[in-house]
């Protein structure tokens, strides 16, 4: 069995020069925490485990957190009449707003758990986030509806969604950093891209579990109680994730920084109370993560809601399209992550945003043609659109293309964010722009796009987006939002963000262990490191 042994080292009497690395808005290759001579490093702790275990243990918990978080999104139409009063429209909007509430608090979770991760350690934050997420998810499955406890039902549901958002706000940054701080500088894009697959795999798991129970129980039983089962299953999944994560040790880079006295005692103040660092945060937000977020949510969530809503595709067909497209596209996270190690993060991420912005309208118009929706009525007599002999293969290809766009913008983003901020405040600083982008710009996309379509009705405020004067609004008008945000990111990122691929984060703590152990990280070969 091949093992990877990490040897921790400690620096002595070296000045902390973190803020000199923030002398410009963009990170540079020589940005570091300290100037340090590797020859002066004494040895200390030895870590022994395989790099695949590091990636797997980090990823499995993150997959479960995304599974938990996205269950609500996929099941929103079932939860709406259970927890919210009013007519169908108001219930749906309330459910979508509650979905958005989980995203709204993600930046706060980034600050709370970022502080823990920067001050106490990455592993502690890891364990807390998965525990909170799992507990909140199970409670959603047990929560009585509005008919039983009245207004308490939506209040408690919103509270649980906010707890989920807080937990996810701390989870992603920890997972990305944990892997990045085990990886050598030249393989960071490839290794962290495994973490980037987790959000899509989590969505895949949520869709798959829901599909199984909807088909197995039937619509009536699923609407009655079956929707609770996927939430309750989270208890088993979280227990497994906690067991695995308890076996993890602290990252070698963070441990070395802590031994050298280079961790921050006030990461929140240093990250959010410093003007120079705020410039980095805002650049990362508007020049990278905002565009990445809308491409992610358009390619996966909006594509699904567009098929089951305006196109009238049956849920079984729509879920099948999504599941197949996800399976076929997921390997491209690794492809683009590895490619970013060679040509850079910036051209791939911004290129994905630009291509997506150009392609969305033709793609969605073609999806409409493939579905061939016609007016019909549902079981309650409500007027709906019904897909007539939909071209499932064609829809799958078009959704697959959109998810490939997702892999372009999302595959290298973790490596970029890790390289953009110094180690002592990396957890806090990285998490804030990521969750502002994905929580606010991306998480609210379904609600904003739906609202834009409604406002484009002939008597609406955005009627100019509906030249055909369709009674319910222009079904393509919602694309204005993701296209506009993606183009904004291309412009800002293209003008003001410098390529980060050559930033050597190990230089912050005196450099990598040396050629032998560096090679071991890349290959996973057994390496004996003398203490």
């Amino acid at each position: 069995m091949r093992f990877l042994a990490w040897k921790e080292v400690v620096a002595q009497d070296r000045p902390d020069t973190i803020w000199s690395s923030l002398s410009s808005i963009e990170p540079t290759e020589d940005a570091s925490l300290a100037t340090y001579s590797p020859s002066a490093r004494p040895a200390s702790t030895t870590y022994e485990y395989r790099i695949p275990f590091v990636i797997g243990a980090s990823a499995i918990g993150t997959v479960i957190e995304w599974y938990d978080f996205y269950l609500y999104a996929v099941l929103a139409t079932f939860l709406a009449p259970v927890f919210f009063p009013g007519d169908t429209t108001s219930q749906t909007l309330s459910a979508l707003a509650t979905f958005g509430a989980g995203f709204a608090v993600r930046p706060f979770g980034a600050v709370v758990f970022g502080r823990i991760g920067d001050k106490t350690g990455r592993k502690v934050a890891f364990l807390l986030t998965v525990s909170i997420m799992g507990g909140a998810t199970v409670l959603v499955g047990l929560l009585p509806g509005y008919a039983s406890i009245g207004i308490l039902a939506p209040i408690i549901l919103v509270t649980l969604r906010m707890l989920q958002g807080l937990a996810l706000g701390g989870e992603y940054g920890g997972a990305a950093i944990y892997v990045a701080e085990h990886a050598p500088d030249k393989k960071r894009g490839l290794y962290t891209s495994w973490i980037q697959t987790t959000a899509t795999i989590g969505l895949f798991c949520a869709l798959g579990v829901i599909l199984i129970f909807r088909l197995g129980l039937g619509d009536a039983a699923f609407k009655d109680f079956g929707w609770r089962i996927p939430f309750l299953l989270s208890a088993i999944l979280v227990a497994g994730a906690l067991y695995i994560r308890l076996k993890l040790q602290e990252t070698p880079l963070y441990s070395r920084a802590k031994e050298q006295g280079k961790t921050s005692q006030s990461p929140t103040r240093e990250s959010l109370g410093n003007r120079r660092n705020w410039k980095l945060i805002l650049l990362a937000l508007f020049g990278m993560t905002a565009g990445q977020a809308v491409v992610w949510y358009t390619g996966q969530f909006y594509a699904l809601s567009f098929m089951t809503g305006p196109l009238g595709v049956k849920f079984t067909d729509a879920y099948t399209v999504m599941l197949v497209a996800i399976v076929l596209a997921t390997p491209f996270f690794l492809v683009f992550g590895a490619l970013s190690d060679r040509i850079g993060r910036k051209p791939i991420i911004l290129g994905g945003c630009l291509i997506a912005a150009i392609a969305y309208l033709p793609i969605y118009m073609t999806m409409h043609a493939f579905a061939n929706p016609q007016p019909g009525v549902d079981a309650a007599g409500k007027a709906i659109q019904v897909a007539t002999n939909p071209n499932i293969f064609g829809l799958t290809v078009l959704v697959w293309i959109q998810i490939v766009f997702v892999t372009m913008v999302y595959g290298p983003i973790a490596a970029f964010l890790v390289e953009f901020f110094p180690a002592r405040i990396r957890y806090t600083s990285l998490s804030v722009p990521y969750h502002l982008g994905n929580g606010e710009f991306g998480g609210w996309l379904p609600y904003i796009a739906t609202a834009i379509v409604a406002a484009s009705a002939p008597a609406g405020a955005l009627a100019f987006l509906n030249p055909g004067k369709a009674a319910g609004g222009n079904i393509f008008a919602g694309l204005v939002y993701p296209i506009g945000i993606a183009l904004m990111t291309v412009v800002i990122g293209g003008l003001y963000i410098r390529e980060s691929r050559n930033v050597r984060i190990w230089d912050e703590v005196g450099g990598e262990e040396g050629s032998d152990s560096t090679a071991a990280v890349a290959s996973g070969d057994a390496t004996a490191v003398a203490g």
Side-chain angles (χ1 to χ4, degrees):
M1 184 180 296
R2 301 191 303 175
F3 286 90
L4 169 66
W6 279 104
K7 182 177 72 175
E8 286 274 281
V9 295
V10 58
Q12 298 177 337
D13 303 321
R14 294 294 174 180
D16 183 346
T17 59
I18 177 177
W19 297 115
S20 65
S21 72
L22 298 178
S23 57
S24 63
I25 292 178
E26 304 84 13
T28 59
E29 182 174 351
D30 60 353
S32 63
L33 287 175
T35 302
Y36 184 68
S37 171
S39 63
R41 299 182 312 201
S44 64
T45 309
T46 298
Y47 287 83
E48 293 189 357
Y49 41 64
R50 294 176 295 170
I51 192 66
F53 178 77
V54 172
I55 296 172
S58 302
I60 190 169
T62 309
V63 167
I64 293 168
E65 291 225 22
W66 284 116
Y67 164 83
D68 287 352
F69 196 76
Y70 288 135
L71 276 179
Y72 182 94
V74 181
L75 292 172
T77 55
F78 293 93
L79 273 61
V82 174
F83 292 106
F84 300 100
D87 58 27
T88 302
T89 301
S90 62
Q91 288 174 341
T92 300
L93 289 175
S94 296
L96 289 175
T98 303
F99 176 64
F103 287 93
V105 299
R106 278 170 59 175
F108 297 100
V111 174
V112 171
F113 292 104
R115 181 181 185 277
I116 295 172
D118 282 327
K119 187 174 181 178
T120 307
R122 313 327 192 187
K123 179 181 175 179
V124 174
F126 247 12
L127 296 173
L128 286 173
T129 56
V130 74
S131 300
I132 294 171
M133 175 66 84
T137 303
V138 172
L139 289 175
V140 171
L142 297 173
L143 182 62
Y146 185 85
S148 299
I149 60 174
I151 195 64
L152 282 177
I155 291 174
I156 296 174
L157 181 63
V158 171
T159 302
L160 293 174
R161 282 297 296 171
M162 293 176 73
L163 283 174
Q164 288 182 317
L166 285 171
L168 194 58
E171 167 66 24
Y172 171 81
I177 291 170
Y178 195 86
V179 173
E181 290 185 348
H182 279 86
D185 285 319
K186 293 183 179 180
K187 294 286 187 179
R188 191 175 304 116
L190 172 61
Y191 285 168
T192 57
S193 65
W194 285 95
I195 296 299
Q196 302 309 100
T197 68
T198 59
T200 296
I201 294 173
L203 175 60
F204 176 89
C205 293
L207 288 171
V209 169
I210 292 168
L211 181 61
I212 290 170
F213 283 105
R214 285 189 70 174
L215 292 176
L217 296 174
D219 279 346
F222 190 84
K223 289 178 181 178
D224 183 28
F225 68 88
W227 62 267
R228 296 181 181 273
I229 299 175
F231 288 99
L232 298 176
L233 283 176
S234 179
I236 301 172
L237 301 177
V238 169
L242 279 173
Y243 175 77
I244 293 172
R245 284 191 170 183
L246 284 168
K247 295 179 177 292
L248 293 174
Q249 295 172 281
E250 191 51 76
T251 74
L253 192 151
Y254 178 86
S255 296
R256 193 191 299 175
K258 191 170 185 178
E259 289 177 348
Q260 296 173 5
K262 294 176 181 177
T263 56
S264 175
Q265 294 304 305
S266 183
T268 304
R269 179 178 58 81
E270 290 190 36
S271 180
L272 305 181
N274 181 275
R275 183 176 179 181
R276 289 185 181 276
N277 202 60
W278 261 113
K279 291 180 180 179
L280 292 175
I281 289 173
L282 292 176
L283 270 181
L285 171 60
F286 293 106
M288 283 288 176
T289 62
Q292 165 259 302
V294 296
V295 172
W296 201 102
Y297 283 91
T298 301
Q300 299 186 119
F301 278 109
Y302 195 68
L304 177 61
S305 65
F306 190 76
M307 285 191 289
T308 57
L311 300 190
V313 177
K314 293 187 300 183
F315 83 88
T316 50
D317 289 340
Y319 281 24
T320 300
V321 166
M322 293 300 304
L323 291 170
V324 172
I326 286 172
V327 168
L328 295 178
T330 294
F332 285 89
F333 283 108
L334 308 181
V335 171
F336 289 115
L339 186 61
S340 75
D341 286 326
R342 302 183 62 182
I343 69 173
R345 328 297 185 200
K346 179 177 173 178
I348 297 176
I349 296 171
L350 298 186
C353 288
L354 180 60
I355 296 170
I358 294 171
Y360 276 151
L361 185 56
I363 284 175
Y364 277 79
M365 292 179 71
T366 307
M367 288 175 68
H368 182 272
F370 281 161
N372 189 27
Q374 300 296 325
V377 294
D378 62 11
K382 178 184 174 182
I384 59 171
Q385 293 291 310
V386 179
T388 305
N389 297 320
N391 184 334
I392 300 302
F393 176 78
L395 289 171
T396 303
V397 171
L398 293 174
V399 173
W400 174 80
I401 291 171
Q402 293 180 68
I403 301 179
V404 171
F405 296 159
V406 171
T407 66
M408 287 185 69
V409 301
Y410 202 57
I413 198 73
F416 164 78
L417 289 170
V418 166
E419 294 156 356
F420 210 62
F421 299 101
R424 65 184 291 122
I425 54 172
R426 177 170 291 139
Y427 205 136
T428 305
S429 297
L430 175 158
S431 298
V432 170
Y434 175 83
H435 289 293
L436 281 173
N438 286 271
E440 312 312 319
F441 285 93
W444 286 93
L445 186 148
Y447 185 90
I448 292 173
T450 301
I452 290 174
V453 171
S456 69
L462 301 178
F464 64 92
L465 295 175
N466 185 13
K469 299 188 182 302
N474 181 358
I475 63 172
F476 304 111
L479 294 171
V480 168
Y481 176 71
I483 290 172
I485 299 299
L487 290 177
M488 174 199 73
T489 291
V490 170
V491 173
I492 295 175
L495 292 176
Y496 300 109
I497 288 185
R498 186 178 300 173
E499 176 56 52
S500 67
R501 174 174 63 96
N502 294 319
V503 173
R504 299 168 59 87
I505 67 172
W506 281 93
D507 287 352
E508 301 174 13
V509 290
E512 294 183 54
E513 274 300 290
S515 58
D516 289 341
S517 56
T518 299
V521 174
S523 65
D525 290 338
T527 304
V529 183

